[in-house]
Amino acid sequence: RNMAGRIEVVGTLVRKSYGKGSYTEFEYSFGGKSFREKSAASSIYDDRTVLGEKYVLRLDPEHPSQYTIVLSKPVFTSDERVDSTLARITSVWENKSFTVKSRGVSFEYVVDGIEFSRDQAIALDDVYFKGISVGQCYIVTYWKENPQRAVFYSDSPPGNCK
């Protein structure tokens, strides 16, 4: 099916498993029903991913238990307590293979004296991507409950690193 018939909902990562038989499990609601569904091995990056993270999920309204994680769209909901800080870009990556095209950034930031690092996919149509380079600092928003969960916004202007 093409993506045109799909709808977007916000899903919460509630479980993840790596290695043989790896999967992620998300909870989300659609059409007045709640779902808790596993997805085969996904590109939820590594152990720096935090349970409770939220991503946009694309699903077919005729088969709402099947979804695609939109890794370039991590989100916070309005009821979550968040704050912002500067993060330094440590890597800019792009995979141009024929089967999977992806790109993103790796960044590090400090909250209450503790250093964190993250990877985040960037949408292929993101107009700001070409201007991002290693060493630049951007504002990231992090979850106060667990600052390891953070979202990089490519449209925030790069700032001076402290």
Side-chain angles (χ1 to χ4, degrees):
R1 271 174 135 348
N2 69 23
M3 297 306 282
R6 300 203 168 229
I7 61 155
E8 293 186 346
V9 299
V10 173
T12 302
L13 179 66
V14 294
R15 199 165 176 203
K16 59 184 180 169
S17 172
Y18 299 104
K20 188 175 181 178
S22 64
Y23 67 90
T24 55
E25 190 171 331
F26 279 85
E27 286 183 347
Y28 56 97
S29 296
F30 172 72
K33 294 182 181 177
S34 295
F35 294 85
R36 183 177 178 137
E37 300 290 339
K38 287 183 183 177
S39 177
S42 78
S43 299
I44 298 281
Y45 298 105
D46 53 33
D47 60 356
R48 295 178 292 183
T49 305
V50 176
L51 293 180
E53 290 197 32
K54 293 176 175 56
Y55 286 88
V56 169
L57 306 179
R58 286 196 182 119
L59 52 93
D60 179 340
E62 294 176 24
H63 304 282
S65 63
Q66 299 170 9
Y67 61 85
T68 302
I69 305 163
V70 184
L71 293 171
S72 61
K73 290 188 173 181
V75 296
F76 289 106
T77 55
S78 61
D79 62 338
E80 293 182 286
R81 293 184 20 190
V82 297
D83 204 347
S84 297
T85 190
L86 282 177
R88 180 184 308 272
I89 303 298
T90 57
S91 175
V92 179
W93 42 271
E94 194 160 11
N95 174 354
K96 296 181 180 180
S97 78
F98 291 109
T99 55
V100 178
K101 292 184 178 6
S102 63
R103 61 184 180 181
V105 294
S106 300
F107 56 94
E108 56 188 28
Y109 55 101
V110 176
V111 175
D112 295 331
I114 301 169
E115 187 173 294
F116 297 92
S117 61
R118 293 282 304 197
D119 296 329
Q120 184 175 312
I122 303 293
L124 293 173
D125 62 352
D126 187 306
V127 297
Y128 300 99
F129 181 76
K130 290 199 182 313
I132 300 170
S133 61
V134 171
Q136 289 178 318
C137 285
Y138 284 79
I139 293 173
V140 296
T141 299
Y142 64 88
W143 192 27
K144 285 187 167 189
E145 188 172 317
N146 183 344
Q148 179 60 53
R149 179 178 166 215
V151 176
F152 166 83
Y153 298 101
S154 63
D155 60 346
S156 70
N160 293 326
C161 299
K162 293 180 182 177

